[in-house]
Amino acid sequence: MSFHLPPSALDWQAKVRAFVDEELIPWEIEAEMNGGEIPPDVAARHERIAIGLGLSRMDVPVAYGGLAAPVLDQVVAAEQIGRVTNALGWCYPEAQGWMFEACSADQLERFVLPMMRGERHFCYAITEEGAGSNVDDIVATARRDGGDYVIDAVKWHVTSANLADTILVQAKMAEGRNAGTHGLFFVEADATGISTVRNPAYSHTYRHHHPILRFDGVRVPAANLIGREGEGMDFTYAWFRRERLMIAARACGAAERLIEEARAFAATRVVGGVPIAEHQLVQAMLADSVVDLHAARLVTYEAAAAHDRGLDVKALHARCSIAKLLASEAAGRIADRAVQIFGGRGYMRENVAERFLRELRVDRIWEGTSEIQRLIIANGLMKRGLAGTIGAS
Ligand SMILES: Cc1cc2nc3c(=O)[nH]c(=O)nc-3n(C[C@H](O)[C@H](O)[C@H](O)COP(=O)(O)OP(=O)(O)OC[C@H]3O[C@@H](n4cnc5c(N)ncnc54)[C@H](O)[C@@H]3O)c2cc1C
C-alpha cells in the first residue's frame, strides 16, 4: 500500500520542513551544550514564526479563527517537527480540537484562544507518585467550597511547567454525589499554594523541564472546571489520543532524519578502502531502518486519515495506540542502528544520532507505555474483533 498525500498535506510538509531546517536545526548543538537553552530572542523568534505558519491553530475550528486542518495535514506537520532534536520543535502552544467541545465560552476566551495566539502556555498534570499507567489511581482531590474548588495534589513529571502559565490538573472529587469521579481544571500557575517539590534531571537536554509540583489547598474558581464533575477522564482520553498520534508522527520524522544522516555518513566514511555503505552488514542496518520507517509512517498516516474519515472514537483510540507503539519502537531501533553506523562519532553529544537515542526513549513511556498501548490494542481486538481494530482487509 502506498499513501498519496493530498496537496494541502504536501504544502504543510514543505513549509514546516523549511522552518525546521532553516530555523531550528541550526540551534540543536547550542541547546545540547547549554542545558537545553537557546538565546531568548531566538526562542521568541521561533515561536513567532511557528504561530505565523499557523501551527498553533491547525486543530482549531474556523469559527474561532482556526484552520480546522485535516488530521492528516496535522500529522504531516508534526512529522517535520519531529526531525529536530532537543525539543526545539516545541516552540509554540497549541489549542486542541477537543477543547472546543469541552470548554465553556468563558474558558475558551480566557485560556484556549490565548494559547492559539501564543499568549498562554500550558502543561498537563495527571501523573502522581502512585499513579502513572493507571490514571484512576490518582489521589489528587478537588473539594467544592462555595464558588471555588480547593485542589490538593502532588503531580510528577509535569512537562513544560517551567514555561507554563496555565496548568491542566486532573483530580478526583473529594465529596458530594460525584465523589471519586475525575475532574479536569484550568489552574493558573501562579496560584497561591503551588510549589515545586523538585526539578529532577532527565536523559534529554530540553529547556522544557518536568518538575514535581505540589498543590496545597489551591483555590480555583468553579468556572475553571472543564465540562462537568465526572467528565475529566473523557477529556484526558481525547488528549491521549491526540498526543499518541502526534508522538507517532514525530517519531517518524526523527526516523527519517536519522536514516538520511546515516545514509550520508555511510556513503562517505571510508574504512578498509571503501565507503562503509559497501559493507553488507551496514547495508542491513540501513535496510532494516527503511522498513521500520515505511511501516510506521504508513500506519501513522492511515490512523490520521481514519480520523478524517470519521471513524468511531473507540476504534480511533486503538489506531492511535497502534501508531504510537509501532512508530516509537521503530524509531528507537533506528536511532540505535544510526549510532552504530556512526561508530564512535555516534556516541558524541554533538551527533544527532546520540541525541535522538536518548530523546526517543521516552516515547515508549509517556502518554502510556508500550505495554499499556498493547493492552489497549488487545482490548479493542477482543471487543471489536480484528476488522473493528484495523479495518477489514
Ligand atoms: C519525561 C517525561 C515527561 C512526562 N510528562 C508528563 C506530563 O506532562 N504530565 C503527566 O501527567 N505525566 C507525564 N509523564 C508521566 C508518564 O505519562 C508516565 O511516566 C507513564 O504513563 C508511565 O507511568 P509510570 O512512570 O508511573 O510507570 P508505572 O505505571 O509505574 O509502570 C512501570 C512499568 O510497569 C509497566 N506496567 C504498568 N501497568 C502494567 C500493566 N497493566 N501491564 C503490563 N505492564 C504494566 C509499565 O509499562 C512500566 O514498564 C512524563 C513522564 C516522563 C518520563
Side-chain angles (χ1 to χ4, degrees), residues 124-129 131-134 156-159 202 204 210 362 365-372 375:
Y124 211 116
I126 310 172
T127 304
E128 300 175 3
E129 183 173 15
S133 297
N134 190 359
W156 277 52
H157 311 294
V158 186
T159 296
Y202 288 71
H204 51 222
H210 318 277
V362 77
I365 297 171
W366 59 16
E367 308 299 351
T369 62
S370 288
E371 291 71 38
I372 296 304
L375 295 183

Side-chain angles (χ1 to χ4, degrees), residues 23-71:
E23 298 285 343
L24 302 183
I25 287 180
W27 290 96
E28 286 179 333
I29 294 176
E30 167 114 1
E32 180 61 32
M33 297 307 157
N34 290 290
E37 296 296 332
I38 56 173
D41 59 315
V42 175
R45 175 183 156 80
H46 290 167
E47 178 165 21
R48 222 173 26 249
I49 297 174
I51 289 174
L53 285 172
L55 286 167
S56 65
R57 56 198 176 108
M58 287 188 85
D59 205 32
V60 175
V62 173
Y64 292 96
L67 301 173
V71 177

Side-chain angles (χ1 to χ4, degrees), residues 76-353:
V76 166
E79 186 180 5
Q80 292 305 314
I81 291 292
R83 291 177 54 251
V84 60
T85 63
N86 299 87
L88 291 172
W90 301 359
C91 58
Y92 56 95
E94 181 187 68
Q96 302 189 353
W98 66 266
M99 296 174 178
F100 292 84
E101 288 162 24
C103 294
S104 65
D106 163 64
Q107 290 168 350
L108 292 178
E109 204 53 52
R110 284 191 295 135
F111 296 104
V112 181
L113 294 173
M115 281 176 206
M116 179 184 84
R117 297 192 294 264
E119 295 157 8
R120 268 192 184 267
H121 297 83
F122 73 103
C123 57
Y124 211 116
I126 310 172
T127 304
E128 300 175 3
E129 183 173 15
S133 297
N134 190 359
V135 178
D136 201 40
D137 288 341
I138 62 170
V139 293
T141 53
R143 179 175 51 82
R144 187 73 192 246
D145 185 27
D148 293 337
Y149 285 95
V150 179
I151 296 180
D152 286 285
V154 179
K155 295 291 186 180
W156 277 52
H157 311 294
V158 186
T159 296
S160 308
N162 59 316
L163 303 175
D165 46 41
T166 310
I167 313 176
L168 284 154
V169 180
Q170 180 123 354
K172 281 184 175 174
M173 298 302 145
E175 51 199 28
R177 64 192 163 87
N178 296 314
T181 65
H182 289 248
L184 188 65
F185 298 86
F186 284 112
V187 180
E188 301 277 359
D190 61 359
T192 305
I194 302 179
S195 58
T196 301
V197 178
R198 214 152 63 76
N199 192 16
Y202 288 71
S203 292
H204 51 222
T205 317
Y206 289 1
R207 65 192 279 262
H208 297 257
H209 300 169
H210 318 277
I212 301 172
L213 298 183
R214 180 186 304 283
F215 299 76
D216 200 2
V218 175
R219 284 196 167 267
V220 178
N224 286 17
L225 170 70
I226 301 178
R228 289 190 298 261
E229 292 184 1
E231 290 182 344
M233 274 316 291
D234 299 349
F235 309 138
T236 293
Y237 284 137
W239 163 273
F240 280 157
R241 267 192 303 282
R242 180 175 175 82
E243 290 303 307
R244 286 169 186 164
L245 187 59
M246 296 305 161
I247 285 171
R250 292 198 302 268
C252 290
E256 179 191 288
R257 169 115 183 262
L258 284 161
I259 294 171
E260 284 172 341
E261 301 260 5
R263 175 184 179 274
F265 182 78
T268 53
R269 171 69 176 164
V270 174
V271 178
V274 293
I276 59 169
E278 291 184 23
H279 295 304
Q280 290 178 339
L281 295 180
V282 173
Q283 290 178 5
M285 286 193 275
L286 290 168
D288 287 347
S289 297
V290 170
V291 173
D292 268 339
L293 171 58
H294 193 45
R297 185 185 268 158
L298 286 175
V299 166
T300 302
Y301 284 179
E302 164 54 24
H307 278 74
D308 295 327
R309 288 196 302 272
L311 188 70
D312 166 71
V313 76
K314 291 202 167 109
L316 282 178
H317 206 72
R319 295 287 180 99
C320 293
S321 290
I322 293 170
K324 180 185 186 276
L325 177 64
L326 182 60
S328 64
E329 300 265 342
R333 290 191 294 272
I334 292 167
D336 191 64
R337 292 187 200 111
V339 168
Q340 201 66 16
I341 290 169
F342 277 107
R345 290 169 179 76
Y347 200 60
M348 294 161 76
R349 283 172 60 194
E350 64 197 51
N351 186 292
V352 64

